Amino acid sequence: MKDFVALYKQLDETNSSNEKINLLKNYFLTADKKDVLWCIALFTGKRFKKPVNTTQLKNWVAEKSNLPFWLVDECHHIAGDLGETIAHLASNNNNTINFNKPLHKVLEEIAQLNDKNEEEKKHFILNYWNELSKDEIFIFNKLISGSFRVGVSDKNIIKALALAFQIPEDEIAHQLMGNWNPFKISLNELLFSEIENFSKPYPFYLAYALENKLNELGNPHDWQAEYKWDGIRAQIIFRNNEFYIWSRGEELVTHQFPELKEITTIIPQGCVLDGEIIAYKSGEILSFQHIQKRLGRKNISKKTLEEVPVCFIAYDILEYENKDIRSFNLSERRKILETLISSIHSKITLSEKIDFTDWDELKAIQENSRIKNAEGLMLKHRNSAYQVGRKKGDWWKWKVNPYTIDAVLTYAMQGHGKRANLFTDYTFAVWHNDELVTFTKAYSGLSDDEIKEVDAFVRKNTIEKFGPVRSVKPELVFEIAFEGIAHSNRHKSGVALRFPRIARWRKDKPANEANCLEDLKKLIQ
């Protein structure tokens, strides 16, 4: 546990990717193998059932520190992080206990809490708080509350593992895919065993946004252009009479799209397809807001199946006849795909290849792609293999310019972690009948200096306080950019935005010149 806490602190204190990779490699080579396995699981975002809730933790630390609950709650708002708050309040500065349990043992004991009653959970956690140092309490709190995060990318984890164990990065990436469980597998099995799990997906190939001028890409005939759809990126797996759907976020979502199992009547055994799940009704591709109704649900009702039917748009094939064909060039893979999906079917269709003769013609198609409810285009080199992760050169995403609207800042909330002392989370409104109606929140887009400037404004111009949230004088105007918009019954404004963010601070514009709600609703058309 001590080594893991030390690793976390060292990773948190550096922005250098090379240093992070080196720190990880050294830990992987020196730590207990069971601890290494759990480190990989935690750092790659594996989530486990948390045995206690936030209120219980606050009550117990209030009791331990002899503070009223409201004061603990206020400390949490100020610090912005519950794990850090408890670490300050619960730690015993005079603690001389040398805690030496390994990480995996701590996590195994935490998992057993799910079968305990509340009093037993409280006794267990208080004992840990009494034995641990402040830094160890901080990490322990993150583990028991299910909020563990660390600023290390999957790419860095893969590079470090490849260096430590002398395994190619592509193989490591594939081994880490899927729903493996550190309670049921060893480090050797995870990294070195043959992949026999029939549900296991391949690492997704991701594209960068187009950086070059089109003519710098060379001959347009060397490129395949397709529409970029706003749906759920997914892999469809059909092996050994078993059918699975994996999202790009490595979530098994088969049960959320049960009707797609019909695809097994079209494709043969031993196939893995890459594509997009989209909401599709009466021959029309619907917006992402429709398909959101299918996400995060354990059971999909008959009504939802009827209201939001889906279709899988296949644009690549990664496995055919139980053989990994990712090394084949795109043209070869496309021919196999076209052979498999040669007819129109309600649940699966081929991604359309766009015919164009020169870059100017393609640019005109890209600018009008929203007419088809597409986000833009994808450009893929015809000789490209299907690679691992985000790579430059062979695949590019070329999105249309986002929608924009000028809005007024009405509420601000304190951030988290390193920005807990700043107001960084904002709520925006537009005009409707001479009143401001809130319609979205945005958290990104401002520079550090601009955030400090807005923070100073919020503190000087607060109207009311609601815990960590403050309403402010409606004076600041910002241009909000977003990818899509749809009607919504869940929002007071009647609209919901897709990927809202701050495009720029409109210091040149007074609040009364911000857009109105009708301007927003016109964009839906």
Side-chain angles (χ1 to χ4, degrees):
M1 179 75 171
K2 284 189 179 297
D3 291 340
F4 181 75
V5 172
L7 172 67
Y8 181 95
K9 284 191 67 179
Q10 291 171 319
L11 291 170
D12 193 49
E13 290 169 358
T14 180
N15 291 321
S16 167
S17 290
N18 288 336
E19 189 174 347
K20 287 181 179 181
I21 291 168
N22 196 46
L23 288 167
L24 288 164
K25 182 192 76 170
N26 291 338
Y27 180 84
F28 294 152
L29 288 172
T30 58
D32 180 284
K33 298 305 179 187
K34 289 185 178 180
D35 284 1
V36 172
L37 179 69
W38 271 103
C39 177
I40 296 168
L42 292 169
F43 281 15
T44 56
K46 294 291 181 188
R47 294 286 175 266
F48 307 98
K49 184 178 179 181
K50 58 182 182 181
V52 294
N53 59 46
T54 298
T55 302
Q56 288 173 320
L57 291 174
K58 287 182 180 179
N59 276 321
W60 297 338
V61 77
E63 180 180 324
K64 176 175 169 51
S65 56
N66 293 317
L67 294 174
F69 182 89
W70 68 264
L71 186 53
V72 172
D73 203 37
E74 189 65 23
C75 289
H76 178 204
H77 289 318
I78 297 300
D81 184 287
L82 182 59
E84 183 181 355
T85 303
I86 294 175
H88 285 294
L89 297 178
S91 65
N92 177 7
N93 293 325
N94 298 318
N95 182 14
T96 58
I97 298 173
N98 185 17
F99 185 83
N100 59 7
K101 278 186 185 176
L103 174 67
H104 70 271
K105 186 65 177 176
V106 173
L107 287 160
E108 287 167 3
E109 291 181 358
I110 289 174
Q112 293 169 5
L113 283 183
N114 289 306
D115 299 323
K116 306 291 185 183
N117 61 40
E118 185 167 341
E119 194 57 37
E120 290 171 322
K121 292 177 181 180
K122 175 184 174 182
H123 179 73
F124 172 86
I125 287 171
L126 287 176
N127 277 346
Y128 260 93
W129 286 346
N130 287 329
E131 292 183 15
L132 299 175
S133 67
K134 183 185 292 186
D135 289 338
E136 291 165 348
I137 291 175
F138 173 71
I139 297 299
F140 174 75
N141 293 337
K142 292 289 188 182
L143 296 175
I144 59 175
S145 63
S147 61
F148 185 86
R149 302 283 190 281
V150 65
V152 177
S153 68
D154 286 356
K155 185 182 292 186
N156 287 346
I157 297 289
I158 290 165
K159 283 182 179 293
L161 286 169
L163 289 170
F165 299 105
Q166 300 299 301
I167 305 172
E169 290 181 27
D170 287 4
E171 290 183 23
I172 291 284
H174 194 191
Q175 293 290 111
L176 297 186
M177 290 292 288
N179 201 20
W180 57 273
N181 188 333
F183 285 113
K184 299 179 180 179
I185 193 173
S186 70
L187 182 66
N188 266 357
E189 289 170 330
L190 176 66
L191 298 182
F192 298 102
S193 65
E194 289 292 325
I195 298 172
E196 296 179 351
N197 186 343
F198 294 117
S199 74
K200 204 173 189 76
Y202 291 100
F204 285 84
Y205 185 12
L206 307 176
Y208 276 95
L210 183 64
E211 299 172 343
N212 311 67
K213 294 179 180 178
L214 288 173
N215 56 15
E216 293 177 359
L217 297 178
N219 190 334
H221 297 293
D222 292 337
W223 294 85
Q224 177 176 302
E226 307 167 56
Y227 285 106
K228 185 184 187 307
W229 303 110
D230 190 13
I232 305 296
R233 176 84 180 273
Q235 283 181 31
I236 294 241
I237 296 174
F238 185 33
R239 301 181 182 123
N240 198 41
N241 284 319
E242 297 178 8
F243 178 77
Y244 304 93
I245 306 174
W246 286 93
S247 73
R248 199 188 92 181
E250 293 187 43
E251 293 184 9
L252 196 58
V253 294
T254 317
H255 66 285
Q256 293 173 23
F257 306 101
E259 68 270 53
L260 292 185
K261 193 169 184 180
E262 289 181 27
I263 292 173
T264 59
T265 64
I266 297 175
I267 62 174
Q269 293 275 354
C271 274
V272 177
L273 305 180
D274 184 15
E276 203 87 14
I277 301 173
I278 47 96
Y280 186 77
K281 192 171 187 179
S282 303
E284 180 185 357
I285 293 176
L286 306 179
S287 68
F288 185 81
Q289 275 77 10
H290 289 83
I291 205 167
Q292 276 186 309
K293 299 175 183 177
R294 301 286 289 268
L295 303 180
R297 300 194 179 190
K298 292 184 178 179
N299 298 299
I300 305 299
S301 67
K302 183 179 179 181
K303 181 182 178 183
T304 302
L305 289 171
E306 292 173 351
E307 290 180 349
V308 191
V310 297
C311 176
F312 182 75
I313 301 178
Y315 46 68
D316 217 325
I317 181 165
L318 316 184
E319 184 177 313
Y320 179 58
E321 295 180 338
N322 294 304
K323 180 182 178 183
D324 180 354
I325 62 170
R326 292 177 295 162
S327 61
F328 290 20
N329 65 46
L330 177 63
S331 296
E332 293 173 311
R333 299 197 308 273
R334 177 74 186 198
K335 286 178 183 177
I336 296 172
L337 195 58
E338 289 173 350
T339 301
L340 293 182
I341 310 171
S342 55
S343 59
I344 297 174
H345 191 276
S346 62
K347 299 305 174 192
I348 186 170
T349 186
L350 266 175
S351 177
E352 176 188 348
K353 286 197 297 186
I354 298 170
D355 293 324
F356 65 101
T357 56
D358 55 47
W359 294 122
D360 287 338
E361 182 182 357
L362 188 64
K363 190 173 189 302
I365 294 171
Q366 187 262 1
E367 289 172 349
N368 291 292
S369 55
R370 271 212 179 99
I371 295 172
K372 289 180 170 281
N373 264 341
E375 292 185 306
L377 302 182
M378 290 293 301
L379 295 177
K380 302 175 182 178
H381 201 282
R382 296 183 188 277
N383 289 330
S384 62
Y386 189 96
Q387 300 189 65
V388 172
R390 202 177 298 278
K391 308 285 185 182
K392 286 188 178 182
D394 288 339
W395 283 24
W396 298 101
K397 56 184 178 183
W398 185 18
K399 299 175 75 170
V400 292
N401 292 328
Y403 296 108
T404 60
I405 206 85
D406 289 334
V408 181
L409 176 69
T410 51
Y411 294 91
M413 186 171 75
Q414 288 173 293
H416 300 278
K418 294 179 180 179
R419 288 184 169 176
N421 62 330
L422 295 170
F423 287 92
T424 61
D425 300 356
Y426 312 118
T427 300
F428 297 94
V430 288
W431 293 104
H432 182 61
N433 295 333
D434 296 326
E435 293 183 357
L436 284 168
V437 177
T438 59
F439 71 102
T440 195
K441 294 182 179 181
Y443 314 96
S444 63
L446 295 181
S447 68
D448 289 343
D449 288 341
E450 286 175 325
I451 287 173
K452 291 176 182 176
E453 195 174 342
V454 173
D455 179 77
F457 172 86
V458 171
R459 295 179 189 280
K460 291 178 183 177
N461 295 276
T462 295
I463 299 173
E464 290 182 274
K465 295 182 181 180
F466 311 93
V469 179
R470 297 189 183 189
S471 65
V472 298
K473 292 180 181 178
E475 295 179 3
L476 303 188
V477 178
F478 296 84
E479 183 180 305
I480 307 300
F482 48 99
E483 298 302 320
I485 182 170
H487 291 294
S488 172
N489 294 327
R490 296 186 297 111
H491 297 80
K492 183 180 179 181
S493 62
V495 298
L497 306 190
R498 175 98 161 117
F499 292 141
R501 68 268 189 195
I502 300 170
R504 57 177 172 146
W505 187 348
R506 294 299 306 268
K507 293 185 177 181
D508 60 318
K509 185 172 269 194
N512 62 356
E513 291 184 15
N515 285 105
C516 64
L517 186 58
E518 285 306 307
D519 297 327
L520 261 178
K521 291 184 175 179
K522 285 177 183 176
L523 294 176
I524 298 175
Q525 307 305 319

